Amino acid sequence: MRVLGVDPGLTRCGLGVVDGGGGRQVSAVDVGVVRTPADAPLERRLHVVATEVAAWIARHRPEVVAIERVFSQHNVRTVMGTAQASGVVALMAAQAGLPVAFHTPSEVKAAVTGEGRAGKEQVTAMVTRVLRLAEAPRPADAADALALAICHCWRAPMLDRMAAAKARSDELAKAHKARLAAAAKGRT
């Protein structure tokens, strides 16, 4: 499975492509950061992010795009910019016909380091080790994008099994309700 991981942001948007094999085998394909000037108009900045993400999708042909889920921070302005960048990335994925998966920062940290409250340095160190990179990806946004892709490679099979189990459970519940309704009709 090839995953494009995206750590959304307006000033720096991390992009990382990872190939996942069976089990926990993963390998890095590419990593980078899209930068936009803080003084540029918002629509221009979003356009730059959209254009770069579309180019990465065309170049690397991922099967899925994994995006960090925006979470509440104290700085509303930062959250808004992150959410807007995240929406643009999801739109580019949808236009390419790709599914999008959102992972929270704590899910990503727990998947990669084993600790949901791990710091940036710990995440970067584990990404470097897991992907057997010669040097740590910089800045942290690049490492975070790779961590998102790794997280999705490792979590997707479990999430797929859970979704299939839920669908089967819903089918069984519907059939059971239909039998109960039929039995109730038979008594009246």
Side-chain angles (χ1 to χ4, degrees), residues 67-89:
I67 305 171
E68 184 174 273
R69 183 178 301 280
V70 177
F71 66 101
S72 178
Q73 294 175 334
H74 299 296
N75 186 341
V76 174
R77 185 178 168 111
T78 301
V79 171
M80 290 298 294
T82 302
Q84 290 164 326
S86 179
V88 165
V89 172

Side-chain angles (χ1 to χ4, degrees), residues 109-183:
K109 291 173 184 179
V112 175
T113 71
E115 171 56 52
R117 293 177 169 226
K120 294 260 185 212
E121 305 80 28
Q122 199 175 355
V123 171
T124 299
M126 286 305 294
V127 164
T128 305
R129 178 187 289 163
V130 167
L131 294 173
R132 297 170 303 285
L133 301 174
E135 55 187 59
R138 299 279 181 227
D141 310 88
D144 289 349
L146 289 170
L148 276 151
I150 293 167
C151 173
H152 189 76
C153 285
W154 290 349
R155 290 178 53 93
M158 179 211 36
L159 295 173
D160 290 346
R161 286 192 303 274
M162 286 174 56
K166 170 85 168 86
R168 180 68 179 132
S169 172
D170 290 347
E171 281 178 32
L172 292 172
K174 184 177 177 182
H176 182 68
K177 285 180 185 177
R179 284 193 303 275
L180 287 175

Side-chain angles (χ1 to χ4, degrees), residues 18-83:
V18 169
D19 282 339
R24 295 176 72 81
Q25 289 183 314
V26 287
S27 59
V29 175
D30 199 1
V31 65
V33 175
V34 178
R35 297 174 191 273
T36 66
D39 60 349
L42 174 63
E43 65 275 11
R44 221 36 246 138
R45 297 174 81 187
L46 292 172
H47 184 264
V48 168
V49 171
T51 302
E52 281 298 312
V53 169
W56 276 63
I57 289 171
R59 182 169 48 248
H60 296 295
R61 301 182 186 274
E63 297 167 53
V64 62
V65 176
I67 305 171
E68 184 174 273
R69 183 178 301 280
V70 177
F71 66 101
S72 178
Q73 294 175 334
H74 299 296
N75 186 341
V76 174
R77 185 178 168 111
T78 301
V79 171
M80 290 298 294
T82 302

